Amino acid sequence: MAKISKFFVLVVFLSACLPTWAAGSVDNWRSEVDRLMEQGEFAQATKLMKRLPKKVRNAEAVTIDSLNQIMERIRKDFTLSPEAGVKAIREKMPDASDAQIANWKAEKAIEWMNIDGQEWWFRKAVRNLWLLGKEFAATNAQENDEESKNLRKYVVEALRSTPDANGVRNWHHANITFTLDVKADAIPAGETLRVWMPIPYQNLRQRNIKLESSNRPVVWSSDSKHHTIYMEAVAEKGKPTHFEYTFSYDVGERHFAQQDLLALAQPYKHTPEYEQFTATEYPHIIVSDEMRALAKEIVGNTDVHPVIAANRIFRWISHKFPWAGAREYSTIKNIPAYVIANGHGDCGQVALLYITLCRAIGIPARWESGYMLHPDAVNYHDWAETYFEGVGWVPTDPSFGRSTVQNPHIADYYATGIDIYRMASNEAVGDKLSPEKKYIRSETVDFQPGEVEWKNGNLYYDMWDSNFHLNSITPINK
């Protein structure tokens, strides 16, 4: 698993457990900044960093830049005033009362925070309300039923084909074009843009990866769990900078029926790999006493078969945490704790919770992510893999479980399987990019839209656009 640098843990974890910064001292300035950020006192945090001695500012320039970027990202995420939010709610639901809106806030169906003494709502709060409010549960359940019917089509299609020796079947050939465009004058003319973009990697379900074409020389990543294509270009005045490449690969479906896994799985051997994937991995996969207690509560008897235990965690998450549009991951101190506290999570957030809970009871689990390629639904997507001794790593998609656990035909399919409509490019979270990136990433956990920087800093999403286009995905005839 990728090693997380001390700098990365400092910036993203933002620990509030260090001693309070003392007046006239710079030794503990970072813990004081963390405390102020936790309380929403961003202006005070920025002022403190500006007042640091020049020697400290120079030595900690990248860290200071990262902390300021995190505060700026939170500000960009929380841009909806309460007045505008209430107006938007009442445009769709005119009879929504003040008491009802206050209750939605208390139940965290509306996400908000106080920044520098002023209340701000999450920019997706109103859209998320219709997904999270208890009053809308029946409507959302109907939509999940429709989605599960569509997903069942892909499952039935796959199960009609014969698996290979690794249990992979229904092989398809995918062709994809990825583009990234940096806005004109995002950096001074003559300066160099550094750009990282996703590419699939070889595993049991992906093979024959080929770069078909590119508009610039490329460098493939090495020794990173984020698999990328790297390019550079010199910016020209008044012109956007375009990066483009096309690649292809073969992708297959892999699924194990629960009864087969129960027959095949053996007691775990405590190998180095087992120890690695049942351990804490800061800042988001933290195997704490609280997580152990919660996992035990979900699973019941800790001596239960690992296949059954993992399935209970999968179903618990699928039932308990509805999907909602997410904040930027880099602004959240610990994502699984955030999911539990707020009662919802997007695909990556529930995947991290699943991984943490599995590890908490000794079941190895790890991250995988990239894109979902389903017809008319191409998008970023994150899932997990669960390890069963004697079988190996098995795909697990807790987010798709939310649409399928009520469908008896495919209730457990995504607990121990995954369809063909995937492109996996990440094997872990928060790894260093290759070549290494100097400044904080726009996405510090996952990697899908790409990353851009120049010599003076990271370029955030508002300075560039990327596009993932599925040109074709066709069956491979044997």
Side-chain angles (χ1 to χ4, degrees):
M1 179 59 71
K3 293 182 179 178
I4 307 298
S5 69
K6 292 180 179 178
F7 160 70
F8 178 80
V9 173
L10 165 69
V11 171
V12 181
F13 189 57
L14 298 177
S15 171
C17 302
L18 298 176
T20 303
W21 184 75
S25 169
V26 297
D27 294 339
N28 298 316
W29 70 269
R30 286 174 290 194
S31 61
E32 177 63 4
V33 168
D34 289 348
R35 186 187 68 80
L36 290 168
M37 289 172 65
E38 288 278 339
Q39 295 177 354
E41 298 290 346
F42 291 1
Q44 290 296 320
T46 299
K47 187 182 295 185
L48 187 155
M49 288 187 284
K50 284 182 177 179
R51 290 178 174 176
L52 289 169
K54 185 176 181 180
K55 182 178 179 181
V56 176
R57 294 201 309 272
N58 290 341
E60 302 286 355
V62 174
T63 300
I64 290 170
D65 173 74
S66 299
L67 293 167
N68 279 319
Q69 281 217 33
I70 288 171
M71 288 188 284
E72 183 61 24
R73 293 174 191 186
I74 294 173
R75 287 191 181 100
K76 288 178 178 178
D77 257 350
F78 288 80
T79 54
L80 187 64
S81 70
E83 296 77 17
V86 169
K87 180 181 178 182
I89 290 170
R90 287 182 173 148
E91 285 174 355
K92 190 169 183 178
M93 190 176 177
D95 59 347
S97 67
D98 290 344
Q100 192 171 25
I101 291 170
N103 187 58
W104 282 328
K105 288 173 61 180
E107 292 180 346
K108 301 185 179 179
I110 293 174
E111 188 169 1
W112 64 279
M113 69 184 303
N114 193 301
I115 301 175
D116 293 329
Q118 185 173 350
E119 179 181 323
W120 292 99
W121 289 14
F122 178 39
R123 60 189 175 86
K124 300 178 182 178
V126 176
R127 186 182 73 178
N128 282 348
L129 172 61
W130 314 116
L131 300 168
L132 301 176
K134 294 177 181 177
E135 296 88 337
F136 317 114
T139 300
N140 292 325
Q142 289 177 354
E143 292 179 0
N144 283 342
D145 287 343
E146 287 301 314
E147 185 176 348
S148 73
K149 291 176 184 176
N150 289 329
L151 292 174
R152 190 187 176 199
K153 296 175 187 176
Y154 311 139
V155 172
V156 170
E157 172 192 296
L159 297 182
R160 286 174 178 159
S161 56
T162 303
D164 62 18
N166 294 313
V168 186
R169 58 192 145 202
N170 199 28
W171 284 97
H172 279 57
H173 183 72
N175 184 281
I176 292 163
T177 297
F178 192 95
T179 61
L180 190 150
D181 292 275
V182 182
K183 294 180 180 180
D185 303 319
I187 66 171
E191 296 290 351
T192 299
L193 289 160
R194 307 179 69 214
V195 176
W196 295 257
M197 296 166 286
I199 197 80
Y201 69 97
Q202 183 92 12
N203 62 18
L204 289 178
R205 294 175 284 108
Q206 298 183 158
R207 65 189 185 192
N208 298 331
I209 299 153
K210 181 181 179 183
L211 181 66
E212 302 285 355
S213 64
S214 66
N215 73 329
R216 304 180 188 279
V218 306
V219 176
W220 291 70
S221 59
S222 62
D223 195 29
S224 174
K225 297 298 183 180
H226 300 297
H227 297 269
T228 64
I229 288 289
Y230 172 82
M231 298 185 193
E232 292 184 355
V234 176
E236 297 182 51
K237 185 173 179 61
K239 294 182 180 180
T241 310
H242 181 70
F243 300 85
E244 179 175 328
Y245 60 103
T246 296
F247 61 92
S248 64
Y249 70 108
D250 298 340
V251 59
E253 181 265 8
R254 191 168 189 248
H255 167 258
F256 289 88
Q258 189 172 94
Q259 62 267 27
D260 293 336
L261 282 176
L262 287 169
L264 292 169
Q266 303 167 9
Y268 286 117
K269 299 174 183 176
H270 287 244
T271 62
E273 185 179 41
Y274 174 87
E275 299 298 337
Q276 177 183 356
F277 292 110
T278 54
T280 284
E281 186 181 334
Y282 289 106
H284 296 293
I285 304 171
I286 300 179
V287 184
S288 62
D289 290 341
E290 290 79 9
M291 281 295 180
R292 291 189 185 96
L294 177 57
K296 185 176 180 180
E297 180 183 334
I298 295 165
V299 171
N301 183 357
T302 54
D303 294 330
V304 72
H305 195 289
V307 172
I308 295 174
N311 184 267
R312 287 177 181 172
I313 292 171
F314 171 87
R315 283 177 167 254
W316 181 80
I317 291 173
S318 299
H319 282 292
K320 191 173 179 64
F321 300 103
W323 185 92
R327 289 169 51 181
E328 292 295 340
Y329 283 10
S330 62
T331 69
I332 302 173
K333 183 166 67 174
N334 177 264
I335 288 174
Y338 170 89
V339 174
I340 293 169
N342 288 275
H344 62 81
D346 76 349
C347 55
Q349 292 172 332
V350 295
L352 284 167
L353 177 58
Y354 173 84
I355 292 166
T356 304
L357 288 170
C358 282
R359 291 190 184 191
I361 54 170
I363 298 174
R366 67 185 183 187
W367 176 271
E368 191 169 63
S369 73
Y371 281 78
M372 50 186 279
L373 310 179
H374 301 81
D376 301 318
V378 175
N379 209 338
Y380 309 150
H381 194 58
D382 312 327
W383 57 95
E385 290 188 305
T386 315
Y387 184 82
F388 299 109
E389 193 73 47
V391 178
W393 289 102
V394 175
T396 304
D397 193 335
S399 187
F400 269 47
R402 291 183 281 207
S403 299
T404 57
V405 288
Q406 301 290 358
N407 186 329
H409 301 290
I410 54 172
D412 294 322
Y413 175 84
Y414 288 100
T416 53
I418 208 161
D419 54 56
I420 63 162
Y421 296 100
R422 310 289 168 140
M423 189 207 83
S425 55
N426 304 297
E427 300 179 77
V429 298
D431 199 8
K432 290 181 179 180
L433 296 182
S434 170
E436 190 167 346
K437 193 173 188 293
K438 180 178 179 181
Y439 294 95
I440 184 175
R441 288 162 40 189
S442 294
E443 169 56 274
T444 57
V445 179
D446 210 356
F447 182 93
Q448 284 139 333
E451 291 284 340
V452 184
E453 75 173 17
W454 69 301
K455 70 178 184 181
N456 284 356
N458 176 69
L459 294 189
Y460 198 54
Y461 300 124
D462 52 357
M463 300 304 294
W464 50 273
D465 298 295
S466 64
N467 180 64
F468 180 101
H469 186 264
L470 176 62
N471 300 318
S472 63
I473 181 165
T474 55
I476 297 173
N477 297 318
K478 293 185 177 180

